[in-house]
Amino acid sequence: MSAPALHPVESTAAPAPVPPAGVPKAEKGKKDAKAASGSPLELSPPPDYFEHRIKMFDRLKAEYDEFLKNQPRQEISVTLPDGAVKTGTSWQTSPMDIAKEISKGLADRVVIAKVDGELWDLERPLEGSCKLELLDFEHPEGKKVFWHSSAHVLGEAAEKHYGCHLCLGPPTDEGFFYEMAIQDRPVVPADYPNLENLSNGAMKEKQKFERLVMSKEDLLEMFAYNKYKKHFIETKVPDGTSTTVYRCGPMIDLCIGPHIPHTGRIKAFMVTKSSASYWLNDANNDSLQRIYGISFPDTKQLKEYKNFLAEAAKRDHRKIGKEQELFFWHDLSPGSTFFLPHGARIYNKLVELMKEEYHKRGYSEVVSPNMYNSKLWEQSGHWQHYKDDMFVLDVDKE
C-alpha cells in the first residue's frame, strides 16, 4: 500500500418455558434472570462512565469523520490472492466493498480483512493500492478476531450487569475471556443467564464496531475512572503518541483491534465458566474475576460444541474411575491417586508395557531418589518459583 496520509492523532503505540398470559416473553425472561441470580439484569441507572466515555467518543469521532471526508480520492488497485485486481478509491473503498463486489455470500461470511499482511477492519477505508485477503471464521486469524469481538460483547454485558471496571479481554484457543474488578460481589454460575441475555441483546442490535485513534492524553481522560486501563495507557503508550479504542453500543474499550463489522455477526453465544484471578497474575495485586465464553457465527456450531462437551464429560477419567472402581482421591493425600484392585491391574500392565518398549529400544533402567538437596532445585530454577508448594524437610540445617 502507498504511504498513508497522516492523521492528526496518528497511532504509533505497540499492541498493547412459555410465560403466563399477559406477560410478554422478554419481561418474563428478565424476571427469571433476576430470580436466578438475585440481582437485576442490568443496573439502573447505568454506570456514570458510560455517558462520560460516549461524550468524548462522539466529539473525537466527529473530528475524525471530518478528517476522513477531506482526504484526496484517487483510483487504487486492490490485488486479491488469486491475482485478480479490483479497482477502488482511496479513503472510500473498504474491504467489505470488495467482498460485496465478488459475491453476497462472501460478504456475509467474511470476518476480517488482511491488507498488505496487516489485519484490517472490513469497513475501514483503504488508503492506497494494496494486496487484500478476506478471512472467514474457519481461518485461524479470523476465528481469533471473531472471539476477540465476542469478548467485547461480554465486556458490555458485564459492565451493564455488575458496573465493573474491565481489565483485559483477549481471545484464547478455546474462545475468550474478560477479566474485571467487581466491587463486593463474586461471579457465580447463576449470573451466566443474565450475561447471556445481555449479550444476545447486543447481538440483536447489530451494534457496529467503530474504530477511533486517540492521543494518550485523551485516553487518560476517557479512562480516568479505571485504574487498570490507566496502567496500560501509562505503560504501553509512549508519551506524545496514540493508540485506538473500539466502540460497540455503550461499551468503549482500549483496544488495537481489529474487529468484526457488527455484533450481529455473532449468532450463538455462551458463558462457559468463571474464576478468580490476580491483576497482572501477581498474588500481591488486586483480586479480579475472570469470565470465559465461546461464540459462533452459526447456531448449529454451538449445538455441536455442546454435544462435544457432553461426550467429553462421558469420557472424563474422574467419572470413569469412580464408576468402574479403578481409583479415588482423598484429602489425606491431596492430588495423589489411590488405586483400587481393578485400577492397580491396569496400572501394572501399563508399567510392564513401558518396560518392554524401553528394552526393545536398548534402554537400561535405573532407580533414583525421590528427594534431593535444595541445591539441585535452586540450580534448575524450580526453588525460586515453587518452593512454597514443595515438601521440605529440614535436615542438618539444609
Side-chain angles (χ1 to χ4, degrees):
M1 176 180 280
S2 59
L6 291 176
H7 185 282
V9 186
E10 184 60 35
S11 180
T12 56
V18 176
V23 179
K25 289 186 179 180
E27 182 183 344
K28 176 66 162 51
K30 289 187 178 182
K31 289 182 177 179
D32 285 348
K34 179 178 179 179
S37 69
S39 300
L41 182 64
E42 56 185 299
L43 299 178
S44 182
D48 291 338
Y49 55 74
F50 275 21
E51 183 179 4
H52 167 69
R53 291 187 313 208
I54 291 171
K55 280 184 176 179
M56 278 197 71
F57 185 92
D58 287 346
R59 173 173 58 81
L60 295 172
K61 185 64 164 58
E63 294 176 8
Y64 172 75
D65 290 343
E66 187 65 24
F67 158 82
L68 188 63
K69 185 175 68 175
N70 293 326
Q71 295 311 298
R73 271 44 175 178
Q74 298 176 340
E75 184 175 298
I76 60 173
S77 298
V78 181
T79 306
L80 302 176
D82 63 359
V85 177
K86 302 289 184 180
T87 59
T89 304
S90 61
W91 297 97
Q92 180 174 311
T93 301
S94 70
M96 179 58 82
D97 293 326
I98 302 297
K100 290 177 178 177
E101 185 180 336
I102 297 172
S103 76
K104 183 180 183 302
L106 176 62
D108 291 341
R109 188 177 73 251
V110 67
V111 168
I112 201 68
K114 211 168 187 181
V115 176
D116 288 338
E118 175 188 352
L119 289 174
W120 194 275
D121 298 291
L122 285 167
E123 301 285 2
R124 181 180 170 187
L126 300 169
E127 299 169 13
S129 295
C130 61
K131 294 180 180 180
L132 175 68
E133 297 176 69
L134 299 168
L135 313 180
D136 63 15
F137 180 78
E138 299 307 320
H139 190 284
E141 290 182 287
K143 188 169 291 182
K144 287 285 188 181
V145 168
F146 190 91
W147 282 343
H148 184 190
S149 299
S150 300
H152 279 238
V153 173
L154 175 59
E156 177 185 335
E159 286 189 333
K160 287 180 174 179
H161 185 61
Y162 300 112
C164 59
H165 286 182
L166 298 176
C167 301
L168 73 165
T172 68
D173 292 337
E174 298 178 346
F176 53 89
F177 70 79
Y178 221 119
E179 198 168 62
M180 62 200 72
I182 305 175
Q183 187 72 24
D184 302 325
R185 178 181 171 186
V187 176
V188 295
D191 295 341
Y192 299 177
N194 274 330
L195 296 170
E196 290 174 350
N197 285 343
L198 289 168
S199 298
N200 288 330
M203 289 151 52
K204 289 177 181 176
E205 291 175 5
K206 297 183 178 181
Q207 298 169 351
K208 185 178 179 181
F209 277 93
E210 297 179 274
R211 176 182 183 271
L212 180 64
V213 180
M214 291 179 60
S215 68
K216 183 173 183 176
E217 292 74 18
D218 284 336
L219 290 167
L220 288 171
E221 181 183 348
M222 175 176 280
F223 294 102
Y225 68 93
N226 186 325
K227 68 178 183 180
Y228 310 104
K229 298 295 183 184
K230 284 179 65 180
H231 170 82
F232 288 133
I233 297 165
E234 290 166 349
T235 60
K236 302 294 184 182
V237 185
D239 290 343
T241 70
S242 57
T243 192
T244 53
V245 298
Y246 276 80
R247 175 182 180 178
C248 61
M251 198 274 206
I252 301 170
D253 201 8
L254 180 71
C255 179
I256 61 169
H259 286 283
I260 59 178
H262 59 78
T263 57
R265 288 296 186 95
I266 307 167
K267 302 299 183 183
F269 186 103
M270 182 175 79
V271 175
T272 56
K273 62 180 179 178
S274 60
S275 66
S277 62
Y278 291 109
W279 168 236
L280 301 179
N281 294 319
D282 187 336
N284 296 312
N285 290 338
D286 292 357
S287 180
L288 306 173
Q289 301 287 315
R290 185 177 288 184
I291 305 175
Y292 295 80
I294 196 164
S295 61
F296 299 96
D298 191 321
T299 55
K300 187 185 300 183
Q301 290 169 296
L302 179 58
K303 291 179 182 178
E304 292 172 352
Y305 176 75
K306 289 181 176 180
N307 289 336
F308 167 78
L309 293 180
E311 291 300 317
K314 293 177 185 177
R315 296 189 297 271
D316 190 316
H317 68 280
R318 294 165 296 184
K319 179 175 181 289
I320 294 173
K322 182 178 180 181
E323 291 176 346
Q324 298 187 10
E325 298 182 354
L326 302 177
F327 50 76
F328 68 91
W329 292 278
H330 197 279
D331 290 340
L332 288 175
S333 184
S336 299
T337 301
F338 293 79
F339 284 94
L340 297 168
H342 294 322
R345 282 192 285 272
I346 295 172
Y347 180 93
N348 289 332
K349 284 294 182 182
L350 290 171
V351 171
E352 290 173 11
L353 175 63
M354 285 193 298
K355 290 183 175 183
E356 290 173 4
E357 294 300 320
Y358 287 153
H359 294 157
K360 285 180 185 178
R361 290 161 174 76
Y363 289 95
S364 297
E365 289 188 60
V366 298
V367 179
S368 59
N370 289 325
M371 299 185 70
Y372 294 88
N373 188 288
S374 60
K375 291 185 177 67
L376 173 67
W377 306 119
E378 290 170 3
Q379 182 177 347
S380 69
H382 288 77
W383 190 258
Q384 296 90 320
H385 298 285
Y386 307 112
K387 175 186 175 183
D388 293 342
D389 297 316
M390 287 181 170
F391 181 72
V392 180
L393 289 176
D394 187 5
V395 178
D396 295 332
K397 298 183 178 180
E398 290 193 58

